[in-house]
């Protein structure tokens, strides 16, 4: 049953018409009051948004990004302005000093960046040299056929510690570079110098170069 049906039933009773008229009048008053409150609320919301927008614009113009501590930063900014005013310097003079200081800071920052990059590059070169020299010595000690060429195969397995201590990864374990190289040479006989022996001969080499070192190096 909707409101219209309710009105019809009430009107059918004695004095019902007057009662319906009174009910409608009261409902209209309530609707009008509700509308007034809605409009007042919307106006207040709009005014609040406008004020917030102006507040945000002011903070942005002042360079204040931390809105939670805006009051503190505004006080610090005012103190700085008061200090400049007390110094007797003109705004354009202060602006020039700030600009000069900014340029100097940018220059210092660039110098620090360049120095850091140069230091990192030097560290990379030094570590690479340590690895290469350590491998060359260990390979020469192990009687490797070509230490320089073989070192290129093994260099990625070499690590450098805090005190420039060289180590070599052997599976999941870390061993000294001498032990690591010795174990690798033991497993790769082609990389070890052959002892001189008499006699000569040739045989089928199955498509290989005939040089054990070259074949082993290509397959390493």
């Amino acid at each position: 049953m909707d409101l219209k049906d309710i009105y019809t039933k009430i009107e059918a009773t004695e004095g019902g018409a007057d009662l319906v008229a009174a009910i409608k009048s009261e409902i209209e008053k309530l609707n009008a009051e509700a509308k007034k409150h809605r409009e007042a609320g919307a106006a207040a919301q709009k005014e609040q948004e406008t004020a917030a927008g102006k507040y945000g614009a002011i903070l942005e113009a002042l360079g204040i990004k931390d809105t939670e501590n805006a009051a503190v930063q505004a006080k610090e900014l005012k103190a700085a302005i008061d200090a400049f005013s007390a110094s007797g310097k003109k705004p354009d003079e202060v602006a020039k000093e700030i600009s000069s200081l900014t340029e100097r800071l940018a220059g210092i920052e660039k110098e620090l960046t360049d120095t850091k990059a140069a230091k990192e590059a030097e560290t990379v070169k030094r570590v690479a040299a340590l690895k290469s020299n350590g491998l060359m010595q260990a390979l020469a000690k192990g009687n490797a056929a070509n230490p320089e060429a073989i070192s290129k195969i093994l260099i990625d397995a070499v690590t450098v510690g805090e005190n420039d201590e060289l180590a070599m990864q052997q599976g999941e374990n870390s061993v000294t570079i001498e032990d690591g190289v010795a174990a690798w040479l033991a497993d790769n006989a082609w990389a070890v110098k052959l002892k001189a022996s008499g006699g000569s001969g040739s045989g089928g080499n199955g498509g290989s170069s005939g040089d054990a070192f070259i074949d082993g190096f290509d397959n390493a």
Side-chain angles (χ1 to χ4, degrees):
M1 183 180 293
D2 57 21
L3 189 58
K4 184 179 180 180
D5 295 332
I6 294 174
Y7 284 160
T8 301
K9 287 185 175 292
I10 293 174
E11 287 176 342
T13 63
E14 184 178 355
D18 293 336
L19 182 58
V20 168
I23 293 173
K24 288 182 177 181
S25 177
E26 190 63 27
I27 291 175
E28 287 178 0
K29 289 179 181 179
L30 291 174
N31 287 337
E33 187 174 351
K35 181 180 179 182
K36 181 179 179 181
H37 287 308
R38 285 197 304 272
E39 291 175 348
Q45 177 67 22
K46 185 176 181 181
E47 184 177 353
Q48 184 179 8
E49 292 175 354
T50 301
K54 290 180 179 179
Y55 178 68
I58 292 172
L59 293 181
E60 184 177 356
L62 294 174
I64 297 175
K65 297 180 180 179
D66 186 359
T67 55
E68 292 184 1
N69 298 310
V72 175
Q73 294 187 45
K75 288 181 181 178
E76 292 176 352
L77 181 60
K78 184 179 183 303
I81 293 174
D82 291 343
F84 282 130
S85 299
S87 68
K89 293 181 179 180
K90 296 179 180 179
D92 58 339
E93 293 176 344
V94 175
K96 287 180 181 179
E97 290 183 3
I98 293 176
S99 177
S100 176
L101 179 60
T102 301
E103 290 179 2
R104 287 170 56 192
L105 288 175
I108 292 172
E109 184 177 0
K110 184 178 184 304
E111 289 179 6
L112 290 174
T113 301
D114 293 344
T115 300
K116 182 179 178 182
K119 185 177 180 180
E120 290 176 350
E122 184 62 30
T123 299
V124 170
K125 289 181 181 179
R126 185 178 64 81
V127 169
L130 283 172
K131 289 182 177 182
S132 180
N133 292 338
L135 279 172
M136 293 282 283
Q137 292 178 20
L139 287 166
K141 183 178 180 181
N143 202 33
N146 191 330
E148 184 176 359
I150 298 173
S151 68
K152 295 177 181 179
I153 300 175
L154 302 178
I155 197 164
D156 288 340
V158 179
T159 59
V160 180
E162 293 182 359
N163 298 317
D164 291 344
E165 297 177 354
L166 296 175
M168 190 169 176
Q169 287 299 123
Q170 196 173 58
E172 296 182 355
N173 300 319
S174 179
V175 299
T176 65
I177 194 168
E178 290 81 5
D179 290 345
V181 167
W184 188 87
L185 289 174
D187 292 337
N188 295 273
W190 58 267
V192 181
K193 288 181 181 178
L194 296 175
K195 294 182 179 179
S197 60
S200 63
S202 62
N205 49 33
S208 69
S209 67
D211 188 313
F213 176 80
I214 293 177
D215 291 339
F217 186 83
D218 289 340
N219 295 323

